[in-house]
Amino acid sequence: MHPSVILLVLAFTTWLSEHLGTATVVEDFNHVERCKDSLYMGTPPRGFRDSRLKKICQRYADKPRYVTLYDSKNRIPVYSAYTFKKTEGDRRVDYPWMYEPQLAELDGNGNMLPFPTGYLHMKFEDSQAILDDYSDVVLYERGHLNPDQHQSDPQDRAATYTLTNVVPEIREFNIGPWREHEERIRLRLNNFCRGTAYVVTGVTTTGNMIRRNNQDRVGIPEEVWSAYCCTDYDRNAPHNERIRFPTQAALAKNAKDGNRVQELTVQDLEIYLTNKMSVDKNFQLFYDNCNSPSPLPSYLHYTK
């Protein structure tokens, strides 16, 4: 084939991708236009062993908003990764809960969709959680991994209300220690992160499930963890804040008691999670441990 024809085909393929939409469940987060922008250096956390986990580019109103690694067996996210947006932290007004049609179907334009009135459960309940899974549960609430208080644009905030971005959290934990942690991080990044802050929030599980109609439906996290990376921060920040940059992590039990949020280094969190999750020895949340890339052009870098 003539080179000019190949270029025309590539250009047309790119146009189709941008204008007609692409599947949200992807082989790689880099396969979707702008999806990798939610990841530090465009690189997702590495080292996850389970090949059955689904990579979701969370797309709302024809725009990628953040990414999620999703466990269809337990019907919960393993993690959601997003960029923090400076915000006043006010609570949502009213956004509808949504589902991910691409987990169950191959059609559609790649956007998450609101649960339709009188929807047919069987169409997608095998691949993901549905509203009924949470409706009669007293102990648990829908806990966001990418919280709406960490987003400012109304559409970015609306996009956090998909069940592929939430896990069952004990009510006392969700409205207490973890909400306080999310607010503490919001204020810290608002005040002292000068550039883009990349956040990854996820869970560990031990096999406990929410049951519905005598069937295991949704995995219940044992712990919730989170980490951020901000390489461009205020070097004149108070010492107690400055030492929490460029990275910091947090870990807490998803429990009614003993649920204090512990802050720790990202490396310590990674060591801990290596023994709690199905990951290999190369497990890493942020590319190059969130070390700021060299400002030197590549041709001036020293190489052996």
Side-chain angles (χ1 to χ4, degrees), residues 4-43:
S4 61
V5 176
I6 295 175
L7 288 174
L8 282 173
V9 171
L10 288 172
F12 181 66
T13 302
T14 302
W15 185 90
L16 282 175
S17 169
E18 293 176 351
H19 291 79
L20 300 184
T22 48
T24 51
V25 177
V26 294
E27 291 290 328
D28 191 285
F29 290 130
N30 291 342
H31 288 182
V32 177
E33 182 79 11
R34 304 266 62 90
C35 192
K36 65 180 181 180
D37 290 357
S38 300
L39 303 163
Y40 176 65
M41 300 297 286
T43 305

Side-chain angles (χ1 to χ4, degrees), residues 16-179:
L16 282 175
S17 169
E18 293 176 351
H19 291 79
L20 300 184
T22 48
T24 51
V25 177
V26 294
E27 291 290 328
D28 191 285
F29 290 130
N30 291 342
H31 288 182
V32 177
E33 182 79 11
R34 304 266 62 90
C35 192
K36 65 180 181 180
D37 290 357
S38 300
L39 303 163
Y40 176 65
M41 300 297 286
T43 305
R46 72 182 189 195
F48 287 91
R49 287 175 174 165
D50 193 345
S51 60
R52 296 171 301 176
L53 300 176
K54 306 294 186 182
K55 297 180 177 71
I56 302 176
C57 186
Q58 298 282 17
R59 189 179 174 103
Y60 178 78
D62 294 322
K63 180 182 175 183
R65 307 289 170 170
Y66 59 101
V67 302
T68 297
L69 188 66
Y70 192 76
D71 182 350
S72 291
K73 180 182 178 182
N74 288 313
R75 301 181 183 89
I76 57 170
V78 177
Y79 69 73
S80 283
Y82 60 95
T83 54
F84 171 85
K85 315 296 192 308
K86 292 185 183 297
T87 168
E88 295 303 314
D90 52 314
R91 301 292 293 171
R92 73 184 179 103
V93 179
D94 187 29
Y95 297 119
W97 283 103
M98 291 177 278
Y99 73 103
E100 180 50 72
Q102 299 295 326
L103 282 172
E105 307 168 11
L106 294 177
D107 58 353
N109 64 359
N111 289 305
M112 59 181 74
L113 294 172
F115 283 98
T117 303
Y119 61 91
L120 180 62
H121 291 176
M122 291 305 295
K123 196 169 186 179
F124 43 75
E125 70 174 1
D126 285 346
S127 62
Q128 58 196 288
I130 60 174
L131 292 172
D132 283 6
D133 292 323
Y134 288 90
S135 61
D136 294 324
V137 180
V138 178
L139 295 177
Y140 301 98
E141 292 192 342
R142 289 167 284 202
H144 287 67
L145 298 190
N146 174 7
D148 68 340
Q149 303 99 306
H150 286 189
Q151 304 297 327
S152 57
D153 178 82
Q155 291 190 335
D156 284 342
R157 300 185 76 174
T160 68
Y161 286 86
T162 165
L163 291 191
T164 56
N165 178 50
V166 304
V167 297
E169 289 182 358
I170 292 284
R171 173 175 167 76
E172 289 82 356
F173 170 70
N174 182 41
I175 66 174
W178 195 251
R179 182 175 296 177

Side-chain angles (χ1 to χ4, degrees), residues 187-200:
L187 291 173
R188 183 182 300 163
L189 297 179
N190 258 4
N191 294 332
F192 304 114
C193 181
R194 296 291 178 250
T196 302
Y198 299 87
V199 186
V200 183

Side-chain angles (χ1 to χ4, degrees), residues 252-267:
K253 290 280 188 185
N254 181 31
K256 185 174 182 179
D257 301 304
N259 55 16
R260 182 179 67 87
V261 178
Q262 172 191 359
E263 289 206 37
L264 66 168
T265 68
V266 172
Q267 285 71 33

